Every structure is written in C-alpha cells, then in structure tokens.
C-alpha cells in the first residue's frame, strides 16, 4: 500500500485500456484494474468491446456474410457450390481465437508500457482530506488489496438492460454474450429490440438460415438514423434478407419451456399476438455499470439514468476523479470511449505539469461516426435532415446511388446511396449519411471533412480514384450544387 500511483484506471475496456496506455506514454505511473473473466474463468482485458461486443460480433458478421454470399450471390459470378454448409462450432471457435489474440495483445501492450495490471473488482473509497491520495480496494477471489493513486479514471462500461419478466439465462433467453456463442443455428429466433445489436445479431443468424422475427417498441424503424436511410434499410432487410420486423409492439410476457420461448405481445394495432421461437435475444439497450464502485459511500454523483455525471472534460464531482466511455453521457461506442480516455490522460498530464486544461481535451460528439455493420452497412456523422429541420437550419442536399458507381457494380453490391447535407449559405458540411457497401470505411472521409469544417465544395474538389466506392461520396458532394456527373 506504500506506492502511490499517478493514475489508477478502473476498467480495461476501450475507454480504460486506451486511457492507461496514453497515461503511461505521457510518463505517468499507471495501474489498471479490471474484473472481466472469459468463459474459461481467466482474466481477459478489453472489456465488452473485445470480449463480447465489437470484435466478436464483426467476426460472426463476416463469417455469416461469406456463407450468405456463397449461397445466394456467387452464382451471378458464375461460381456455384451445391453443398455449402455451415459448421457453427468452427465459426464460433474462429471468433474466439480473434478475441483471444486481441485480449492477450492488450496484456502485452500493458507490459510494454509498464502499466501495472491488476485483476479484481475495484471500489473507490471515500477520501477524508483533499490532500490525500485516492484509495481503491481491489477484491479478487476473496483476496483484498488497497491501491493509492493521485488521479482515478473510471471506465466501468455498461451492461445489458433486462426485461423484468424475461431474465437472461443465456440458454433460451440471450443477451449479447449468448447471442455470440450459440453452437447451432436456431430454426426460429426472436429478437426484442430493433436497435444496433438486434439488427447485427439478427443478420448473423438470419444469414445462416434462422427464421428471425424482430419485435420493436418504437413505431418507426431506426429512429436515430436519417429517415431516408432508415426506409431504405427497412426495405432491404425485409425483402432481401428476410428479417421479419414488427414495429410499435408492446411485449406482455415471455415464458420458457425446455424446447421453446413463447412471447406474447400487442402489435401496433393493439391486437394480441404470440410468437414461438427456440431462442430469444433481448437487445433493448444498455445501462451504465457502476456496480461495486461504492457510489453510495464515496459521494460520486450519478444522474437519473445511473450515468456518472461528468462535465465536457469527463471530470466528475470528485476532484481528480474522471469517468469515460459507456458509464457517462454520450453514445455508447468504443471509439467514443477511447477518445475520452486519451483526452483525460492528456488532461491529467497537463495538470501534473501545472498547465492549463485545453479546449482540445474535450470531445466533439458531432463528429463521432455511427456505423451499423449490417449488409448493406449503414454509417453517418453529423446531423440528419430531421434534426436540421427541427433546429431551423437551412440546408442543401446532394445524393448519389451506388447503382451508378462502376466499382459497386463490379463487386455486385450496388444497393444504397450517400447523402451530403450542407449549410445553404456557407456550404459547410453538416451531416453525411450512407447506406451501401463498405460504408464503414467510407465514413472516415466524411468524418475528416467535418472535423476540418470542410464545405461540400472542398469534398467535390478532391480527386477520388477511379473506380472506387469513394466516388459515390465525391458525386454526392458534387450533387449539392447539382453538378453530379454520372447520373
Ligand atoms: P466496457 O468495454 O464495458 O469495459 C468496462 C470494463 O470495466 C469491463 O471489463 C468490466 O468488467 C470492467 N469493470 C466494471 N466495473 C468494474 C470494477 N468495479 N472494477 C474492475 N473492473 C470493472 N461499439 C462500437 O463502437 N462499434 C461496434 O461495432 C460495437 N459493437 C458492439 C457489439 C455488441 C454486441 C455490444 C454489446 C457492444 C458493441 N459496441 C460497439 C459498444 C462498445 O462495446 C462499448 O461502447 C465499449 O465497449 C465501451 O467501452 P468502455 O471502456 O466504456 O466499457
Ligand atoms: P439500442 O439502443 O441500439 O436499441 C434498443 C432498441 O430496443 C431500441 O430500438 C428500443 O426502442 C428497443 N426497445 C427498448 N425497450 C423495448 C421493449 N420493451 N420492447 C421492444 N423494444 C424495445 O440498444 P442495443 O441494440 O441493445 O445496443 C446497445 C448499444 O450498444 C447501442 O446503442 C450502441 O451504442 C452499442 N452497439 C454499437 C454497435 C455498433 O457501433 N455497430 C453494435 C452493437 C451495439
């Protein structure tokens, strides 16, 4: 207990582990505490993102997409395979191997950066005097140790929100952990929630052959996305992929037996309906994880949703205690968590050197990209049309379809479009919305444009290589002034 660390990070997800690495790079003596255990009961760094979120879901999305293409799309290329088959355990083992590569990789990054890594649950203690170091009690398998640090970064992430009448057992009723670990393809799969997890996990199991029904409480599909993109996505997901989506439902009960799950719900017309499935995924959002942090004892302020209250610089109400990632306000995204982690690390380094906090150390949420890794992919940054209208901002629109792009046609994936929204007078880009092939990669150019306060004219003036998918963004930017060339 004698050593006083400069920084103690609680949580080693993309918020915490990135913060720890940046702190160490800046010469701060850093410890990172994390309690995650993998299916084998072994400590596993990387939090939700690496263990049961971003990375494993993308691994399964890729595998299932390959199978779907082989079965339904390769014949157009003159490639056929009569006996295409799926071996789910191999698919899941591949996913697990990718996860292990990255979680072990974080452990070696910690070692390389001389970050002390401690496994266990960290509880922040109450401080009796501002001059004191913060104390964190770490408990692992009944063993307790006390750490001291001048600064504490809380990055404890989030956990799935549960339906009170449908407790997760990860046998019949699944959260993201169960949905990523099925060992066989269910004949019928139900999903509650047409959000990001519902769509991504629903796509995986649908592509592999499950009959997938998604039940969503909201009356409209993907209300956070641009309306036109949501409409296009709804049509493709229903018609081409075969996801059955029911909007505006009220779930009334969920009952399980050995062989099935029965969901009773009222549909949008208030008619009683019953759905019977083998497995049910519940993906109705995530809630901040402050379990075990001791917030009732140490005076850490949380809001009505349980999120730790922070200012624009991720400072909590306790001096030298910061919080980043899913446990605070803002989008629950890995890249947002990491950016906050870096910003806080740099701020602490400034404070330790007696320097002023700079404005660049706060995050601009308006330039954080959103991506949904379905097929086609969906991505956006900035404001959508509905938001601009609500804010009374006059804007111009440029739009271009992938159908008119040579590269998209060549790869055989030409659905969707890109839309550029620019300020009517100053032409500054206000939002860019995409649905189509590889838009998860294309969105970076849009983010850069917005970060550098570009105009649509700036994007239009950039030479885009031919033939590439990026030409669709170029043409959409040209389209803002009615100058698109290939339509
Ligand atoms: P987490 O990653 O949740 O990490 C928190 C860590 O803190 C965990 O290891 C936890 O065990 C530990 N912890 C908690 N309390 C304590 C304590 N008291 N003591 C010690 N340790 C503690 N985001 C994207 O940007 N792109 C994606 O493609 C994407 N896909 C996703 C797919 C799924 C299925 C899910 C569920 C999420 C996905 N997300 C994605 C969201 C992303 O995973 C989260 O936004 C991100 O992990 C948040 O990072 P974090 O560091 O705040 O928290
Ligand atoms: P979500 O917030 O994206 O979607 C939840 C959906 O469930 C909403 O549409 C909501 O209206 C609906 N819902 C809520 N209660 C309901 C009820 N009782 N009955 C029916 N529907 C109900 O949450 P989700 O999908 O659980 O994902 C959590 C978060 O994880 C996401 O918001 C995102 O931040 C992150 N994530 C990000 C990914 C990415 O970046 N590609 C992928 C997966 C998750």
């Amino acid at each position: 207990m004698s050593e006083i660390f400069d920084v103690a990070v609680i949580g080693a997800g993309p918020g915490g582990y990135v913060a720890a690495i940046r702190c160490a790079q800046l010469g701060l003596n850093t410890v990172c505490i994390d309690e995650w255990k993998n299916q084998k009961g072994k400590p596993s760094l990387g939090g939700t993102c690496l263990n049961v979120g971003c990375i494993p879901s993308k691994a399964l999305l890729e595998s299932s997409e390959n199978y779907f293409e082989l079965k339904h799309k390769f014949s157009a290329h003159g490639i056929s395979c009569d006996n295409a088959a799926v071996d789910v355990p191999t698919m899941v083992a591949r996913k697990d191997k990718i996860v292990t590569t990255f979680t072990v990789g974080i452990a070696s990054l910690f070692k390389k950066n001389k970050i002390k890594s401690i496994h266990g649950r960290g509880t922040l203690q109450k401080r009796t005097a501002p001059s004191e170091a913060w104390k964190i009690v770490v408990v692992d398998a009944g063993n307790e140790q006390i750490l001291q640090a001048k600064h504490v970064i809380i990055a404890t992430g989030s956990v799935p929100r549960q339906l009170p009448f449908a407790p997760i057992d990860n046998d019949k009723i699944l959260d993201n952990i169960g949905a990523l670990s099925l060992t066989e393809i269910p004949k019928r799969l139900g999903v509650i929630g047409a959000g990001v997890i519902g769509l991504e996990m629903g796509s995986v199991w649908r592509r592999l052959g499950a009959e997938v029904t998604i039940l969503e409480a909201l009356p409209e599909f993907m209300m956070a996305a641009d309306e036109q993109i949501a409409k296009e996505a709804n049509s493709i997901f229903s018609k081409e992929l075969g996801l059955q989506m029911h909007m505006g439902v009220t779930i009334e009960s969920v009952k399980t037996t050995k062989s099935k799950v029965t969901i009773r719900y009222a549909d949008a017309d208030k008619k009683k309906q019953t759905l019977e499935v083998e497995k049910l995924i519940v993906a109705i959002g995530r809630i901040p994880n402050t379990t075990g942090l001791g917030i009732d004892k140490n005076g850490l302020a949380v809001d009505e949703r349980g999120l730790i209250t922070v200012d624009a610089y991720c400072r909590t109400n306790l001096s030298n205690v910061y919080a980043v990632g899913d446990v605070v306000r803002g989008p629950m995204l890995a890249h947002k968590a990491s950016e906050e982690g870096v910003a806080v690390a740099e701020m602490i380094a400034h404070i330790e050197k007696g320097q002023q906090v700079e404005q660049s150390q706060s995050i601009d949420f308006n330039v954080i990209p959103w991506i949904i890794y379905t097929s086609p992919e969906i991505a956006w940054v900035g404001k959508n049309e509905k938001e601009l209208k609500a804010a009374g901002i006059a804007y111009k629109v440029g739009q271009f379809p992938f159908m008119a792009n040579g590269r998209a046609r060549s790869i055989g994936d030409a659905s969707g479009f890109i839309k550029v929204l620019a300020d009517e007078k100053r032409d500054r880009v206000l939002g860019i919305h995409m649905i189509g092939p590889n838009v998860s990669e294309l969105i970076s150019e849009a983010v850069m444009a917005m970060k550098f306060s570009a105009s649509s004219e700036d994007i239009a003036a950039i030479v885009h290589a031919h033939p590439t998918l990026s030409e669709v963004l170029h043409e959409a930017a040209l389209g803002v002034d009615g100058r698109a060339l290939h339509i």
Side-chain angles (χ1 to χ4, degrees), residues 332-384:
M332 288 186 168
L333 297 173
H335 41 285
K336 176 262 191 186
S338 298
E339 281 305 306
E340 285 182 333
V342 168
V344 166
E346 291 180 355
M347 186 169 57
I348 293 172
H350 270 71
I351 293 168
E352 284 297 300
K353 287 184 199 148
Q355 293 166 345
Q356 284 277 309
V357 172
E358 288 173 12
Q359 210 184 351
S360 62
Q361 282 150 1
S362 76
I363 308 293
D364 180 0
F365 287 169
N366 197 42
V367 289
I368 291 183
W370 270 91
I371 300 165
I372 307 179
Y373 296 81
T374 42
S375 179
E377 292 179 339
I378 296 164
W380 70 86
V381 58
K383 300 274 183 278
N384 61 39

Side-chain angles (χ1 to χ4, degrees), residues 10-16 33-36 46-49 52-54 57-58 120-122 155-158 176 180 197 200 286 289 291-293 324-327 332-335 337 373:
I10 309 179
I33 305 140
D34 189 85
E35 66 173 344
W36 196 282
T48 303
C49 172
V52 293
C54 323
S57 61
K58 270 73 234 175
R121 169 169 289 184
T156 47
S158 63
N176 53 304
L180 288 163
I197 295 180
E200 290 188 357
R286 295 177 64 84
N289 179 16
T291 311
L293 260 182
V324 301
D326 281 10
V327 79
M332 288 186 168
L333 297 173
H335 41 285
Y373 296 81

